[in-house]
Amino acid sequence: MPGAIYAEGLVKTFGDVRALDGVDLDVPEGTVLGLLGPNGAGKTTAVRVLTTLLQPDSGKAVVAGIDVLKHPNEVRRSIGLSGQFAAVDEYLTGRENLRMVGQLYQMSSRAAKARADELLERFNLADAADRTAKTYSGGMRRRLDLAAALVVSPPVMFMDEPTTGLDPRNRQQLWSIIQELVAGGTTLLLTTQYLEEADHLAHDICVVDHGRVIARGTADQLKARTGGERVEVVVHQQDRIDTARTVLAALGKGGEATVTVDEHTRKLTVPVTGGAKLLAEVIRELDTRGVEIDDIGLRRPTLDDVFISLTGHAAEAEDATKSEDAAELAKNTKEAGK
Ligand SMILES: Nc1ncnc2c1ncn2[C@@H]1O[C@H](COP(=O)(O)OP(=O)(O)O)[C@@H](O)[C@H]1O
Ligand SMILES: [Mg+2]
């Protein structure tokens, strides 16, 4: 049975650009899928197709059991979306914005009011609740937009780069809100450029680049693909490198492991299995052979390593301050023009 979010062969072109080039997704109910990819990878396009905002050229999408192309209105009633401040009305206060969403979804005005208060409190907007949204900073708008998406707690949620532009404290707070949501049964598709975020929140990760899913799996599976853990040793003396190499080759993965040596920095690296116990063994053995060491450590691959090995370039998270600046700039420009 397909999951709460399902897509098959999604293609979307804009002129010459294949923003989506055959994307398949399957997100089991109650889990979080992290769509991870650099700028221009096709993340927003995928979210827009799945949330009925954009027609694909071809492919199939089913959300909450409903065909997205055949029954977009029904899909809209079952999902929540937070994106680029789409839901926020600048000329309403934070509180009014949230109440309005509740009323759009036919909540009673009492329920909408209570829900607004609860969310304002939770997103640290209570003090600014009665100011118009146009006076909000970029980070505050983002929080208001997320709160708006959560007014009705829909069964399936989409969040397009939810924490871009948030400071670390607000990011942490949002992460715990997301974890609570998911614990309550919500299915979530989240796009992000932050590897750490996908690592922290997502059950499964799809790495996208140029409109294609280039890898998928859990964070651990993706990390294991890049070669697993390794021991790095810096020996004190140049003339002990060969001895150290022999020790590491024997103790490394498979017993005849390939040791990488940087003569200049006297650093040796070898893939291993066995973690800390193996590390202790390496230290003992080097000591027995009289090899002095300056530094030694066990290094596990991070999602950054995965990303680099898959895409050939480091993830460039959109600069948080930059996007916040952009929001400020847009606001100032508007005001200057009045
Ligand atoms: N409305 C559009 N018109 C033309 N090109 C677009 C449009 N939307 C997206 N694109 C292009 O499609 C590609 C994917 O964009 P997008 O889905 O926004 O990527 P991401 O969200 O991963 O940064 C990019 O090359 C982008 O320039
Ligand atoms: Mg985007």
Side-chain angles (χ1 to χ4, degrees):
M1 206 183 105
I5 302 170
Y6 178 81
E8 203 181 297
L10 288 182
V11 172
K12 178 71 197 179
T13 53
F14 296 105
D16 290 344
V17 179
R18 287 178 86 78
L20 298 178
D21 194 10
V23 168
D24 301 333
L25 298 170
D26 194 357
V27 190
E29 204 176 308
T31 68
V32 181
L33 176 76
L35 214 54
L36 181 68
N39 249 322
K43 303 181 298 295
T44 297
T45 304
V47 169
R48 292 182 68 210
V49 167
L50 292 167
T51 56
T52 78
L53 299 174
L54 191 67
Q55 287 264 352
D57 301 344
S58 59
K60 186 181 163 171
V62 181
V63 169
I66 310 160
D67 190 305
V68 176
L69 298 171
K70 288 188 191 139
H71 307 289
N73 290 328
E74 282 177 49
V75 169
R76 276 180 217 134
R77 279 195 287 274
S78 305
I79 62 173
L81 166 66
S82 94
Q84 311 280 307
F85 325 122
V88 173
D89 183 330
E90 296 233 292
Y91 294 96
L92 297 181
T93 67
R95 194 189 305 279
E96 287 164 348
N97 262 292
L98 297 184
R99 286 186 187 173
M100 191 187 69
V101 176
Q103 276 155 14
L104 281 178
Y105 280 93
Q106 272 123 42
M107 285 170 104
S108 72
S109 78
R110 213 174 113 195
K113 186 166 173 273
R115 185 68 178 148
D117 290 346
E118 185 191 336
L119 289 165
L120 288 163
E121 196 64 48
R122 216 161 162 200
F123 281 84
N124 271 328
L125 291 169
D127 292 342
D130 297 311
R131 277 164 43 196
T132 55
K134 71 176 176 174
T135 68
Y136 285 16
S137 70
M140 290 166 79
R141 281 170 193 232
R142 187 153 288 257
R143 269 139 58 208
L144 182 60
D145 176 63
L146 287 165
L150 294 176
V151 168
V152 286
S153 349
V156 180
M157 287 275 311
F158 294 85
M159 297 186 183
D160 194 9
E161 298 199 32
T163 66
T164 299
L166 294 190
D167 62 32
R169 192 177 61 107
N170 280 308
R171 176 170 299 169
Q172 288 289 342
Q173 222 159 26
L174 181 71
W175 285 1
S176 44
I177 290 170
I178 290 174
Q179 282 167 326
E180 270 175 52
L181 264 177
V182 175
T186 302
T187 306
L188 171 66
L189 185 151
L190 160 111
T191 78
T192 184
Q193 302 194 37
Y194 299 115
L195 304 161
E196 193 198 346
E197 184 156 294
D199 207 352
H200 193 81
L201 292 175
H203 298 99
D204 287 297
I205 295 172
C206 280
V207 182
V208 287
D209 203 14
H210 304 296
R212 290 180 162 275
V213 177
I214 56 173
R216 63 180 92 216
T218 64
D220 284 342
Q221 284 166 348
L222 291 174
K223 288 174 192 172
R225 273 180 55 157
T226 67
E229 58 191 7
R230 43 203 178 266
V231 165
E232 287 179 357
V233 187
V234 178
V235 302
H236 187 61
Q237 290 164 298
Q238 198 89 29
D239 60 11
R240 304 302 285 150
I241 286 178
D242 282 341
T243 312
R245 186 204 305 262
T246 310
V247 170
L248 291 177
L251 291 178
K253 200 173 180 175
E256 272 176 67
T258 308
V259 183
T260 314
V261 180
D262 182 334
E263 300 271 348
H264 183 67
T265 58
R266 304 183 311 281
K267 185 186 197 175
L268 297 89
T269 307
V270 67
V272 299
T273 51
K277 213 169 148 199
L278 189 272
L279 183 64
E281 207 176 322
V282 171
I283 294 171
R284 270 198 306 275
E285 191 60 24
L286 289 172
D287 189 47
T288 307
R289 307 269 201 114
V291 179
E292 256 187 89
I293 55 181
D294 284 346
D295 195 16
I296 187 163
L298 188 66
R299 188 158 130 68
R300 292 194 171 82
T302 64
L303 270 183
D304 285 281
D305 298 323
V306 175
F307 202 79
I308 291 167
S309 78
L310 286 170
T311 66
H313 52 81
E316 289 166 44
E318 192 180 315
D319 194 333
T321 52
K322 213 167 68 189
S323 85
E324 184 130 6
D325 285 348
E328 289 298 311
L329 190 69
K331 192 178 102 203
N332 295 341
T333 313
K334 250 191 204 162
E335 266 157 18
K338 269 183 201 144

PDB file of all heavy atoms in Angstrom, residues 39-40 43-45 84 160-161 191 193, ligand 2:
ATOM      1  N   ASN A  39      20.533  24.440  -3.660  1.00  0.00           N
ATOM      2  CA  ASN A  39      19.685  25.415  -4.336  1.00  0.00           C
ATOM      3  C   ASN A  39      19.437  25.012  -5.780  1.00  0.00           C
ATOM      4  O   ASN A  39      20.365  24.641  -6.482  1.00  0.00           O
ATOM      5  CB  ASN A  39      20.421  26.759  -4.354  1.00  0.00           C
ATOM      6  CG  ASN A  39      19.722  27.744  -3.462  1.00  0.00           C
ATOM      7  OD1 ASN A  39      18.491  27.757  -3.400  1.00  0.00           O
ATOM      8  ND2 ASN A  39      20.492  28.556  -2.759  1.00  0.00           N
ATOM      9  N   GLY A  40      18.181  25.060  -6.209  1.00  0.00           N
ATOM     10  CA  GLY A  40      17.866  24.759  -7.604  1.00  0.00           C
ATOM     11  C   GLY A  40      17.702  23.279  -7.895  1.00  0.00           C
ATOM     12  O   GLY A  40      17.503  22.881  -9.042  1.00  0.00           O
ATOM     13  N   LYS A  43      13.469  21.023  -5.104  1.00  0.00           N
ATOM     14  CA  LYS A  43      12.727  20.752  -3.869  1.00  0.00           C
ATOM     15  C   LYS A  43      11.387  21.494  -3.841  1.00  0.00           C
ATOM     16  O   LYS A  43      10.339  20.899  -3.593  1.00  0.00           O
ATOM     17  CB  LYS A  43      13.566  21.147  -2.637  1.00  0.00           C
ATOM     18  CG  LYS A  43      14.910  20.461  -2.558  1.00  0.00           C
ATOM     19  CD  LYS A  43      15.681  20.870  -1.307  1.00  0.00           C
ATOM     20  CE  LYS A  43      16.033  22.350  -1.218  1.00  0.00           C
ATOM     21  NZ  LYS A  43      16.982  22.798  -2.265  1.00  0.00           N
ATOM     22  N   THR A  44      11.449  22.794  -4.094  1.00  0.00           N
ATOM     23  CA  THR A  44      10.216  23.593  -4.028  1.00  0.00           C
ATOM     24  C   THR A  44       9.229  23.158  -5.114  1.00  0.00           C
ATOM     25  O   THR A  44       8.019  23.072  -4.871  1.00  0.00           O
ATOM     26  CB  THR A  44      10.537  25.098  -4.149  1.00  0.00           C
ATOM     27  OG1 THR A  44      11.338  25.470  -3.025  1.00  0.00           O
ATOM     28  CG2 THR A  44       9.273  25.947  -4.164  1.00  0.00           C
ATOM     29  N   THR A  45       9.747  22.849  -6.281  1.00  0.00           N
ATOM     30  CA  THR A  45       8.875  22.385  -7.365  1.00  0.00           C
ATOM     31  C   THR A  45       8.158  21.105  -6.940  1.00  0.00           C
ATOM     32  O   THR A  45       6.945  20.961  -7.161  1.00  0.00           O
ATOM     33  CB  THR A  45       9.705  22.151  -8.649  1.00  0.00           C
ATOM     34  OG1 THR A  45      10.403  23.359  -8.965  1.00  0.00           O
ATOM     35  CG2 THR A  45       8.807  21.780  -9.816  1.00  0.00           C
ATOM     36  N   GLN A  84       7.155  29.996   1.629  1.00  0.00           N
ATOM     37  CA  GLN A  84       7.788  31.317   1.630  1.00  0.00           C
ATOM     38  C   GLN A  84       6.795  32.399   2.073  1.00  0.00           C
ATOM     39  O   GLN A  84       6.391  33.229   1.285  1.00  0.00           O
ATOM     40  CB  GLN A  84       8.328  31.611   0.238  1.00  0.00           C
ATOM     41  CG  GLN A  84       9.155  30.472  -0.344  1.00  0.00           C
ATOM     42  CD  GLN A  84      10.561  30.480   0.204  1.00  0.00           C
ATOM     43  OE1 GLN A  84      11.234  31.498   0.149  1.00  0.00           O
ATOM     44  NE2 GLN A  84      11.005  29.367   0.741  1.00  0.00           N
ATOM     45  N   ASP A 160       8.559  23.668   3.456  1.00  0.00           N
ATOM     46  CA  ASP A 160       9.627  23.973   2.514  1.00  0.00           C
ATOM     47  C   ASP A 160      10.670  24.846   3.206  1.00  0.00           C
ATOM     48  O   ASP A 160      10.415  26.007   3.500  1.00  0.00           O
ATOM     49  CB  ASP A 160       9.034  24.682   1.288  1.00  0.00           C
ATOM     50  CG  ASP A 160      10.012  24.737   0.118  1.00  0.00           C
ATOM     51  OD1 ASP A 160      11.071  24.085   0.187  1.00  0.00           O
ATOM     52  OD2 ASP A 160       9.710  25.447  -0.856  1.00  0.00           O
ATOM     53  N   GLU A 161      11.801  24.270   3.492  1.00  0.00           N
ATOM     54  CA  GLU A 161      12.888  24.941   4.220  1.00  0.00           C
ATOM     55  C   GLU A 161      12.373  25.705   5.446  1.00  0.00           C
ATOM     56  O   GLU A 161      12.526  26.915   5.535  1.00  0.00           O
ATOM     57  CB  GLU A 161      13.657  25.880   3.281  1.00  0.00           C
ATOM     58  CG  GLU A 161      14.310  25.100   2.145  1.00  0.00           C
ATOM     59  CD  GLU A 161      15.419  25.871   1.465  1.00  0.00           C
ATOM     60  OE1 GLU A 161      16.097  26.663   2.141  1.00  0.00           O
ATOM     61  OE2 GLU A 161      15.615  25.648   0.260  1.00  0.00           O
ATOM     62  N   THR A 191      11.638  19.947   3.280  1.00  0.00           N
ATOM     63  CA  THR A 191      12.815  20.164   2.441  1.00  0.00           C
ATOM     64  C   THR A 191      13.824  20.953   3.253  1.00  0.00           C
ATOM     65  O   THR A 191      13.460  21.728   4.140  1.00  0.00           O
ATOM     66  CB  THR A 191      12.508  20.966   1.156  1.00  0.00           C
ATOM     67  OG1 THR A 191      12.390  22.350   1.500  1.00  0.00           O
ATOM     68  CG2 THR A 191      11.254  20.481   0.474  1.00  0.00           C
ATOM     69  N   GLN A 193      18.188  22.452   3.245  1.00  0.00           N
ATOM     70  CA  GLN A 193      19.558  22.454   2.748  1.00  0.00           C
ATOM     71  C   GLN A 193      20.507  22.159   3.900  1.00  0.00           C
ATOM     72  O   GLN A 193      21.708  22.083   3.714  1.00  0.00           O
ATOM     73  CB  GLN A 193      19.917  23.822   2.175  1.00  0.00           C
ATOM     74  CG  GLN A 193      19.015  24.255   1.061  1.00  0.00           C
ATOM     75  CD  GLN A 193      19.595  25.439   0.309  1.00  0.00           C
ATOM     76  OE1 GLN A 193      20.790  25.540   0.101  1.00  0.00           O
ATOM     77  NE2 GLN A 193      18.747  26.349  -0.078  1.00  0.00           N
TER      78      GLN A 193
HETATM   79 MG    MG B   2      13.240  26.002  -2.764  1.00  0.00          MG
END
